[in-house]
Amino acid sequence: MSVILQTSKGNLVIDLFTKQAPTESKNFIKLCKAKYYNFAPFYNIQKDFIVELGDPLYPINKTGCSAWGLSDPSRGKSFKTSQNKLPKNRIGAVSLITQSDNTDPDERFATSIFTITLKDIEDRNVLKNNVVFGQVTEGFEILEAINNAYLDDDHSPLQDIRVHHTYILEDPFDDIEGLAIPPQSPEPTAEQLSTVKLADIEDIDLDEEEELTEERFKERQNREADSKALTLEIIGDLPSAEVKPMENVLFVCKLNPLTRDEDLEIIFSRFGKIISCEVMKDKSTGDSLQYAFIEYEEKKSCEAAYFKMDGVLIDDRRIHVDFSQSVSRLSEAWRNETNAKREKKHGGSTSDTSRNYRDRDYNRHGSSRGPYRSGQSSESRHGERYKSGEERSRDERYRSGRHGDGSRRDERYRDDRYKNDRERDHRHRSERHRSERERDSYHSSSHRHGGHHRDRY
C-alpha cells in the first residue's frame, strides 16, 4: 500500500508495511485521508540523519494527534504502538516517534509525529524507540534536497518546506468512526498561515514589463508548439503540423530494466487485445530504456488500462502510465509510403537506382580497362577490388591529370621510375667494379709472395 506526499520540493512515494505494522500504517493512512498533514512543515532537520514532521500547527502545537484522537478527542491524542524488526537505519525509513507511559515504561505511545531517515546510518540502535511503518521508494532526490536545506539555530529550514497534499493509492483498512474525510484538500487556516516564516513557493515574475496571466502563458506555449510542428512539417519529419497521436497507444515508463515485452503484454492484455507491445532498448547495448509503448486494438481497452495500471508495482517498480504523445509511428508510416511512391515513379527501388548510376559511371570512366561485362565478378576485376563509379572516376582523373608545370602525372611517374632505374644500375656497376679491383689486387699480392695463399700452407 502506498501514500504520496506532495511537498514543495517534490513528491515522496511511501510504501507502508501493513502486515508488520498494521496499527501504525492505519493511523498514517487515515490521517492522510483526513488531510491532517496538509501544510505540515518539515521543522527539525538533522543533517545526514533524520527529518521530523507531522504537526500542521508547528510551532504553535508540537505534539500532533493520532487518527483516533482526531475522531474522538476524549480518547486522547496518542495510541499504543508495538515494536517490530523492520530496519530503522536505512535511508528513507519512515517511523513514528514514541513516548513511554508514566505508569508502565515498557509501553510506548505515538501520535502523528514521524521521521524520515535521510542517510544510511551505521548504528542500528540509534532510533531504537521509533517504530518503522513505511519506506520511501521514490523521491530520494527530494530527501537529498531536504538534507541540504539551509537551517537556523533550531535546525529548522530558513525557507519553509511543507506538505501540500497527500494521496492514498489504496486503503485496505476499515474507516474509523467519527473521522471526518473532506471531499478535497482544504485551504490553510489563518492559524496555519501565521506559522509561515518564508513561503516555500514564491511567485516568479516571468515578465518584468507585463504580467503574464495563465491564459497568456498557455497561449504562448501553444504558439511555440505550432511553430515547432510547422518546422517539422517543412523539413519532412511530420506529415502535417496538425497531426495528433494515436488514441489507442499507451506510454509506460519507470519500468524495471529486467521487464521484457512478453511480461508487459501478459499483464496489460487483460484489458483487451494488444496489437503491439515494445519495451524500447538502446541500439548499441541492447539495454532497456525503461519505457514502452502498448498499442491496443480498441480505444476503450486503452482507456481502461490507463485508469487501472497507473502506479501499479511491476517487478518491484511502480510504473507510470499515460496516453502516448508520440507521433513517430504515424510519421514513419507516412515516410515509408512517400518513399514507396517516389520509387515507383522513378522506376525501381532506391538501391536499384544507385546501382544503375554506379554501373553507368564505371562504363564511362573505366573504359581504359575495358568495358564492364555482365557476368563478370563484381568482387574482383584483373585481380583488383571492384570500385564504384565515383572511386574509379577519381582514380582516372588522378592518372590523367596534369601537374602545374604542364607535365602529365603518368609521364612524370615514368620519368621518375627511369631515373630510379638508372641510379640502381649505376650503383650495381660501381659495386661490380670495386669487387673486380679487390680481386685483382688479391691476385697480384699472391704472385709477389710466391703464388696463391693456399700454396703457402
Side-chain angles (χ1 to χ4, degrees):
M1 309 307 168
S2 299
V3 173
I4 300 176
L5 296 184
Q6 183 183 9
T7 72
S8 53
K9 295 291 186 181
N11 293 342
L12 290 173
V13 179
I14 301 175
D15 282 359
L16 303 181
F17 302 114
T18 55
K19 293 183 179 180
Q20 297 90 331
T23 308
E24 294 77 11
S25 298
K26 181 175 182 179
N27 175 66
F28 186 73
I29 285 182
K30 297 307 178 182
L31 288 175
C32 290
K33 202 169 184 179
K35 306 301 179 184
Y36 177 80
Y37 288 117
N38 282 29
F39 212 67
F42 292 73
Y43 56 79
N44 183 14
I45 300 176
Q46 304 290 331
K47 188 173 177 61
D48 295 336
F49 184 38
I50 62 169
V51 58
E52 183 179 340
L53 68 155
D55 195 316
L57 288 176
Y58 185 90
I60 297 176
N61 186 38
K62 300 180 180 180
T63 60
C65 185
S66 68
W68 293 274
L70 196 64
S71 62
D72 185 4
S74 63
R75 298 179 56 177
K77 294 183 176 182
S78 61
F79 70 100
K80 186 178 178 180
T81 64
S82 57
Q83 282 290 348
N84 52 56
K85 296 183 179 180
L86 295 171
K88 306 172 185 179
N89 59 333
R90 182 188 302 172
I91 182 174
V94 184
S95 58
L96 286 170
I97 296 179
T98 65
Q99 299 290 336
S100 62
D101 188 15
N102 295 330
T103 58
D104 188 356
D106 293 334
E107 291 185 347
R108 310 290 298 186
F109 295 84
T111 58
S112 59
I113 309 299
F114 66 95
T115 65
I116 303 177
T117 308
L118 297 176
K119 294 286 184 179
D120 289 331
I121 307 170
E122 294 183 2
D123 188 359
R124 294 178 176 270
N125 298 321
V126 69
L127 297 171
K128 61 179 181 179
N129 292 328
N130 285 21
V131 178
V132 176
F133 65 91
Q135 171 67 41
V136 173
T137 56
E138 293 183 26
F140 290 97
E141 70 280 1
I142 311 303
L143 296 182
E144 184 69 22
I146 294 173
N147 188 49
N148 296 327
Y150 293 102
L151 308 177
D152 58 18
D153 296 336
D154 297 328
H155 299 283
S156 180
L158 295 175
Q159 186 176 24
D160 289 348
I161 304 175
R162 295 179 180 269
V163 177
H164 287 278
H165 300 286
T166 55
Y167 303 94
I168 299 92
L169 300 183
E170 186 176 356
D171 183 6
F173 301 105
D174 297 333
D175 292 336
I176 297 178
E177 185 179 356
L179 184 64
I181 306 298
Q184 59 185 7
S185 295
E187 294 294 329
T189 63
E191 197 174 20
Q192 288 177 321
L193 293 174
S194 66
T195 64
V196 174
K197 295 188 302 182
L198 182 61
D200 54 352
I201 298 179
E202 298 179 351
D203 294 332
I204 300 176
D205 189 7
L206 299 178
D207 195 336
E208 295 180 357
E209 299 180 356
E210 180 182 1
E211 183 180 358
L212 192 63
T213 62
E214 184 178 356
E215 291 77 11
R216 292 181 60 84
F217 182 71
K218 290 183 178 180
E219 181 182 352
R220 176 183 293 183
Q221 283 186 323
N222 293 334
R223 188 164 59 249
E224 291 177 356
D226 293 340
S227 177
K228 293 178 180 179
L230 184 60
T231 302
L232 293 175
E233 180 184 359
I234 292 174
I235 66 176
D237 195 56
L238 282 181
S240 172
E242 289 79 19
V243 65
K244 295 182 179 180
M246 302 171 65
E247 296 181 346
N248 61 328
V249 179
L250 282 181
F251 171 74
V252 184
C253 62
K254 298 183 179 181
L255 293 172
N256 190 313
L258 302 177
T259 303
R260 302 176 302 172
D261 303 345
E262 299 82 4
D263 304 331
L264 212 59
E265 185 173 359
I266 292 174
I267 295 173
F268 278 82
S269 61
R270 66 190 182 96
F271 299 101
K273 184 178 180 180
I274 293 178
I275 298 177
S276 66
C277 178
E278 182 180 7
V279 176
M280 308 309 294
K281 299 179 180 178
D282 187 274
K283 292 183 179 180
S284 57
T285 64
D287 297 335
S288 171
L289 297 177
Q290 301 179 36
Y291 69 92
F293 292 97
I294 303 175
E295 183 178 357
Y296 282 94
E297 187 177 42
E298 297 181 354
K299 177 183 175 182
K300 62 179 182 180
S301 302
C302 183
E303 293 176 348
Y306 166 74
F307 288 111
K308 293 290 185 180
M309 296 301 293
D310 189 28
V312 172
L313 281 174
I314 296 181
D315 293 335
D316 295 330
R317 291 293 181 90
R318 194 167 300 283
I319 66 171
H320 174 66
V321 179
D322 201 350
F323 291 103
S324 174
Q325 300 299 315
S326 173
V327 294
S328 59
R329 290 177 178 268
L330 297 175
S331 300
E332 184 179 5
W334 170 77
R335 284 192 294 269
N336 292 340
E337 183 180 358
T338 303
N339 291 334
K341 291 180 180 179
R342 290 172 180 171
E343 292 171 358
K344 184 177 180 180
K345 180 178 180 180
H346 293 286
S349 64
T350 306
S351 58
D352 294 338
T353 305
S354 61
R355 184 166 61 250
N356 292 336
Y357 287 150
R358 182 189 63 192
D359 296 344
R360 185 180 63 189
D361 290 342
Y362 179 86
N363 288 329
R364 183 172 68 250
H365 298 292
S367 57
S368 60
R369 295 193 178 187
Y372 175 75
R373 296 183 296 274
S374 61
Q376 186 176 5
S377 173
S378 61
E379 298 295 334
S380 62
R381 185 173 181 269
H382 298 296
E384 297 179 353
R385 179 178 62 87
Y386 174 76
K387 297 182 178 180
S388 65
E390 182 179 357
E391 293 174 332
R392 188 164 297 280
S393 174
R394 184 171 60 251
D395 292 345
E396 291 294 336
R397 288 197 302 269
Y398 176 81
R399 285 193 293 270
S400 61
R402 294 179 179 273
H403 291 282
D405 57 358
S407 62
R408 296 172 62 93
R409 285 194 177 94
D410 52 356
E411 293 175 353
R412 174 169 289 191
Y413 174 77
R414 185 174 63 251
D415 294 339
D416 292 342
R417 185 176 61 181
Y418 178 71
K419 180 180 178 180
N420 294 334
D421 292 341
R422 285 189 303 169
E423 291 177 353
R424 185 177 64 254
D425 294 339
H426 176 73
R427 186 170 61 255
H428 288 170
R429 284 194 301 270
S430 300
E431 292 175 355
R432 186 171 65 253
H433 291 163
R434 184 170 62 253
S435 62
E436 289 175 355
R437 287 194 301 270
E438 291 175 353
R439 184 185 58 192
D440 294 340
S441 174
Y442 173 81
H443 286 303
S444 62
S445 175
S446 298
H447 286 295
R448 283 197 305 269
H449 291 85
H452 282 280
H453 286 264
R454 65 182 180 179
D455 296 335
R456 294 170 59 189
Y457 298 96

